[in-house]
Amino acid sequence: MKYQSSLLQLLESRDYIHQLTDAEGLDALAAKEQVTGYVGFDATAPSLHVGSLVQIMLLRRLQQAGHRPIVLMGGGTTKVGDPSGKDSSRQLLSEEAIQANIASIRKVFERFLDFDGPNGAIMVDNDDWLSTLSYLELLRDVGPHFTVNRMLTFDSVKLRLDREQPLTFLEFNYMILQAYDFRELYQRHGCRLQMGGSDQWGNIVNGIELTRRMGGEEELFGVTTPLITTADGKKMGKTAAGAVWLNPDQLGPYDYWQFWRNTADADVLKFLKLFTDIPLQTIGKYAELEGQEINEAKIALADAATAMLHGEEAARMANETARKTFEQGASDDNLPSIASNGSISVLDALTGLGFCASNGEAKRKIKEGAVKLDGAPVTDPQLLIAVVGQPAKLSLGKKKHGLLLP
């Protein structure tokens, strides 16, 4: 359909929309008034990673279209654990650890959202209301609106059971608490929109229905994004070297820049739309590039994505460092290399290049954080590196660099 509101026009033009509960209703609402919408994030670590970035960008797009974003931190739901897509229960964190994680994560959102002004973002913690709920109150007021029959059909539950993996009663309640969040945000902040990944569709619909059944008089809406995967079918945010963290103390600006610079040719235009503010007209010009020229688009992606998170100066320095490193590597005929025959273990690569005398030394260097693969830290000593199409660069410290040949 042809959308009237700048919000849905923006989301559609940059390929964020996978599902909508009521496209016409949300479009009409967003065209006539400011809409408050939220995305929820659990606080299981001190930093979110790139896999959460599309949801962060959803909130940014909401604000760019003149609407009000809410960052919902799951201080309460983190105590339970979302079973979606997992085969085992999460390790339960202490209250102190959860609050420390939330404080650390907030710093990232301050880079992407404006917390001041008429549509300034707000960050809330669902522990503020979930921790005050008594068990009997939850059973009496919320329980009647859920049936076990239906809960068993949700993917987050069904997939775990189909794989014959245990699902605790604690986790089984997660979807009830998440639905209650929507109802609470509607009452407290007039929030009428929940956004999330495609795996959250059932939870979003639950929240809409629960709020309506518990006295909500206005229509609520849900939007989900498609699952963002790379051209090789891998989930966004994961690399051979591990998670791509957003907090700079867990992954520095240069390594973050390198992650985007190493984007596959087939992904670069999609990522420019989703993860940068580069105008669509400019992105369209990048689509005309062929062969080695596509590297211009990759550098533009790396510059823009890094500047958004770490600032313009950090992005400029990362670009300059990468350029000097490339020129030095290109002019060094003695750069060591080793054939991978398509794949090679990181331990074999380190010893084969002569960087380490033994597997034991290689493991120690990995533990110390001294080993990088294409600029990203390697944390797993059992890592099997796939080398397809072009060489991969393995580094030990700042001075030892070698190529893993396909």
Side-chain angles (χ1 to χ4, degrees):
M1 62 175 289
K2 187 175 182 180
Y3 296 118
Q4 301 301 312
S5 68
S6 60
L7 172 61
L8 292 190
Q9 288 176 4
L10 177 59
L11 295 184
E12 182 184 45
S13 66
R14 288 186 173 264
D15 299 334
Y16 287 97
I17 298 176
H18 177 60
Q19 292 167 298
L20 277 167
T21 54
D22 178 3
E24 292 184 359
L26 177 57
D27 192 38
L29 181 68
K32 71 177 183 179
E33 63 182 75
Q34 186 182 95
V35 175
T36 298
Y38 83 99
V39 179
F41 302 87
D42 277 346
T44 54
S47 173
L48 300 174
H49 59 69
V50 167
S52 298
L53 189 54
V54 70
Q55 310 309 327
I56 298 174
M57 291 300 296
L58 263 181
L59 292 171
R60 183 179 176 89
R61 301 303 185 210
L62 183 71
Q63 190 168 55
Q64 287 175 336
H67 304 282
R68 186 188 189 196
I70 295 178
V71 180
L72 175 65
M73 294 307 305
T77 42
T78 297
K79 298 176 181 179
V80 176
D82 184 358
S84 301
K86 298 176 177 63
D87 283 334
S88 59
S89 301
R90 282 179 174 171
Q91 179 181 356
L92 299 183
L93 302 178
S94 68
E95 176 77 24
E96 293 74 17
I98 292 172
Q99 291 305 312
N101 288 346
I102 291 175
S104 179
I105 289 170
R106 181 184 173 91
K107 299 173 185 176
V108 167
F109 282 100
E110 290 173 346
R111 303 294 311 188
F112 288 89
L113 302 174
D114 179 9
F115 283 80
D116 300 312
N119 68 328
I122 61 173
M123 178 177 282
V124 297
D125 183 351
N126 64 11
D127 194 51
D128 291 346
W129 53 85
L130 294 181
S131 63
T132 63
L133 275 176
S134 72
Y135 189 54
L136 288 178
E137 179 186 1
L138 183 68
L139 286 178
R140 182 192 64 213
D141 297 339
V142 181
H145 304 298
F146 288 84
T147 66
V148 172
N149 311 62
R150 188 180 179 205
M151 293 169 75
L152 288 172
T153 68
F154 289 169
D155 285 344
S156 59
V157 174
K158 188 174 183 295
L159 293 176
R160 177 85 73 85
L161 297 179
D162 286 347
R163 292 191 292 265
E164 297 184 355
Q165 299 292 336
L167 179 72
T168 68
F169 180 69
L170 185 69
E171 294 172 291
F172 194 56
N173 280 271
Y174 184 92
M175 67 184 71
I176 297 177
L177 299 181
Q178 184 167 336
Y180 191 81
D181 284 342
F182 203 168
R183 183 250 187 187
E184 198 69 25
L185 290 174
Y186 169 70
Q187 289 193 327
R188 291 178 178 230
H189 301 285
C191 181
R192 298 180 62 182
L193 171 65
Q194 181 181 176
M195 302 179 291
S198 57
D199 61 332
Q200 296 298 318
W201 178 252
N203 288 327
I204 291 173
V205 172
N206 266 347
I208 292 173
E209 293 185 357
L210 178 65
T211 305
R212 176 178 57 81
R213 292 174 181 176
M214 294 185 71
E217 297 179 356
E218 298 174 297
E219 185 179 4
L220 304 185
F221 304 92
V223 175
T224 64
T225 59
L227 176 65
I228 307 300
T229 57
T230 55
D232 57 4
K234 294 180 180 177
K235 194 171 182 180
M236 178 68 183
K238 296 289 185 179
T239 69
V244 181
W245 299 105
L246 300 181
N247 281 51
D249 55 349
Q250 293 190 252
L251 187 72
Y254 176 72
D255 292 332
Y256 190 74
W257 190 95
Q258 282 287 354
F259 166 75
W260 295 107
R261 172 62 180 83
N262 292 328
T263 296
D265 292 1
D267 291 326
V268 65
L269 296 178
K270 175 174 67 174
F271 288 176
L272 282 166
K273 287 183 178 182
L274 292 172
F275 301 116
T276 79
D277 289 339
I278 294 175
L280 292 176
Q281 184 176 3
T282 303
I283 294 175
K285 293 179 180 178
Y286 286 132
E288 300 172 1
L289 301 177
E290 297 180 353
Q292 290 297 316
E293 291 180 342
I294 195 69
N295 287 324
E296 295 178 26
K298 295 182 182 182
I299 292 172
L301 169 63
D303 286 346
T306 304
M308 191 177 296
L309 178 61
H310 295 290
E312 295 284 350
E313 180 62 16
R316 186 193 66 77
M317 292 179 63
N319 184 318
E320 181 68 11
T321 300
R323 183 185 63 80
K324 290 180 179 179
T325 301
F326 175 80
E327 290 177 352
Q328 181 182 13
S331 62
D332 187 355
D333 295 331
N334 296 317
L335 197 66
S337 64
I338 186 173
S340 70
N341 296 318
S343 66
I344 186 172
S345 76
V346 67
L347 299 181
D348 287 344
L350 287 169
T351 55
L353 287 167
F355 293 171
C356 297
S358 65
N359 284 350
E361 181 187 358
K363 289 178 181 178
R364 287 194 299 274
K365 293 298 182 181
I366 292 171
K367 186 176 181 180
E368 292 168 2
V371 179
K372 293 184 178 181
L373 176 63
D374 286 331
V378 175
T379 58
D380 181 8
Q382 305 303 319
L383 173 67
L384 184 65
I385 304 170
V387 186
V388 180
Q390 59 184 8
K393 185 177 182 180
L394 190 68
S395 303
L396 176 63
K398 296 182 178 180
K399 296 184 178 180
K400 293 185 177 180
H401 307 284
L403 296 179
L404 310 180
L405 305 178

